[in-house]
Amino acid sequence: GAMGGSASLIPRDLLAEYQELTFLSKQEILLAYKRFSELLPKEERESARSTRLSKSQILTLPELRANPFQHRICHVFSTSETGDDSMSFEDFLDMLSVFSDSATSEVKSYYAFRIFDFNEDGTLDRKDLEQLVNCLTGQGEESRLSSAEMEQLIQNILEESDIDKDGTINLSEFQHVVSRSPDFASSFKIVL
C-alpha cells in the first residue's frame, strides 16, 4: 500500500516507543512523520528523523499559521541547544501529542501555562496577561483594547483566578480555572 513507503522510515520498535511516550496512535505518528518530512527540502527527506525543522519551516503549517501563540508554541516545544526554536521530529511529535484530542486536560493546561508565561518566570503576571490578551485580540489598531479596558480585563482575570491574591497566577491556580472551563481542552488542539 501507499503507507509502505513512510512506514518503513520509522523502525517498528521506535514506532512502538513513540506510541508509549505520546497520546498518539500509530496512524497519527506516521501522519506526523509525513507532515514533518514534507516541510523539509526534498534532499533532506530521507533523513527526516535526524533533521531539525527551522522555526520558519514549522510556521508554514496551516494549523500554526493561524495560531496567535505560534512563536511561543515553537519556543516551548523546541529542544534546540541554540535557542533558535527549531524542532526535531520528536519535538514535533511532542507538540502534536499535547495538542491531540487524546491528551489529558492536565497535560494541555500545563503546556498552555508554559506557552502563556511569556517571560518564563513560572507565573502569569500582569505583563504576561497583557501579552496574552494582545495575542487573543489581535494587534490591529481597531481590535486593540484601550489601556483602561486592558486594566479592567486583567483585574477581572486576576479576581477570577488569583486564589492566594499575590497578583500573579501560578500553575495550580491556572489549572483550577481551566478545570472549570469545559471548552478549554477543545480550543487547545491541532488535528492533523
Side-chain angles (χ1 to χ4, degrees):
M3 277 314 271
S6 60
S8 58
L9 294 175
I10 301 183
R12 187 170 295 155
D13 54 342
L14 196 55
L15 197 54
E17 196 180 318
Y18 288 154
Q19 278 178 268
E20 281 290 294
L21 296 172
T22 65
F23 294 100
L24 303 170
S25 68
K26 195 163 151 180
Q27 270 60 45
E28 289 171 317
I29 292 166
L30 293 171
L31 187 55
Y33 187 77
K34 183 172 181 287
R35 293 291 302 270
F36 185 86
S37 49
E38 281 169 358
L39 293 174
L40 290 166
K42 285 211 173 13
E43 63 279 6
E44 289 176 21
R45 287 182 189 170
E46 281 308 296
S47 56
R49 271 214 337 276
S50 54
T51 307
R52 298 187 75 86
L53 276 182
S54 72
K55 181 177 179 175
S56 54
Q57 288 169 312
I58 299 160
L59 290 179
T60 59
L61 279 173
E63 294 85 354
L64 281 182
R65 240 199 331 251
N67 191 305
F69 304 103
Q70 44 174 239
H71 297 289
R72 292 291 308 152
I73 291 170
C74 288
H75 187 69
V76 164
F77 288 98
S78 168
T79 55
S80 164
E81 302 283 306
T82 60
D84 62 1
D85 296 352
S86 63
M87 278 192 207
S88 65
F89 176 59
E90 296 183 1
D91 295 344
F92 187 70
L93 265 191
D94 278 339
M95 172 181 80
L96 292 175
S97 173
V98 167
F99 281 100
S100 77
D101 265 341
S102 325
T104 64
S105 97
E106 200 175 0
V107 165
K108 284 182 186 290
S109 56
Y110 167 76
Y111 280 96
F113 182 83
R114 286 188 55 196
I115 288 165
F116 299 159
D117 181 13
F118 289 88
N119 58 11
E120 311 204 333
D121 63 355
T123 63
L124 305 186
D125 56 23
R126 303 182 80 92
K127 272 262 172 292
D128 291 322
L129 294 174
E130 201 167 308
Q131 278 186 269
L132 175 56
V133 172
N134 279 334
C135 280
L136 290 171
T137 53
Q139 297 296 333
E141 281 308 305
E142 65 292 339
S143 57
R144 285 198 86 136
L145 298 181
S146 71
S147 44
E149 292 169 322
M150 177 68 88
E151 188 46 45
Q152 187 55 58
L153 184 54
I154 288 176
Q155 273 310 117
N156 295 350
I157 296 173
L158 287 170
E159 265 162 38
E160 272 292 289
S161 325
D162 178 19
I163 298 162
D164 63 12
K165 298 292 173 237
D166 67 348
T168 66
I169 301 170
N170 61 33
L171 178 60
S172 63
E173 289 169 337
F174 181 74
Q175 290 186 315
H176 180 69
V177 174
V178 166
S179 69
R180 292 182 312 185
S181 41
D183 52 346
F184 172 77
S186 60
S187 66
F188 202 72
K189 78 171 179 200
I190 293 177
V191 179
L192 281 180

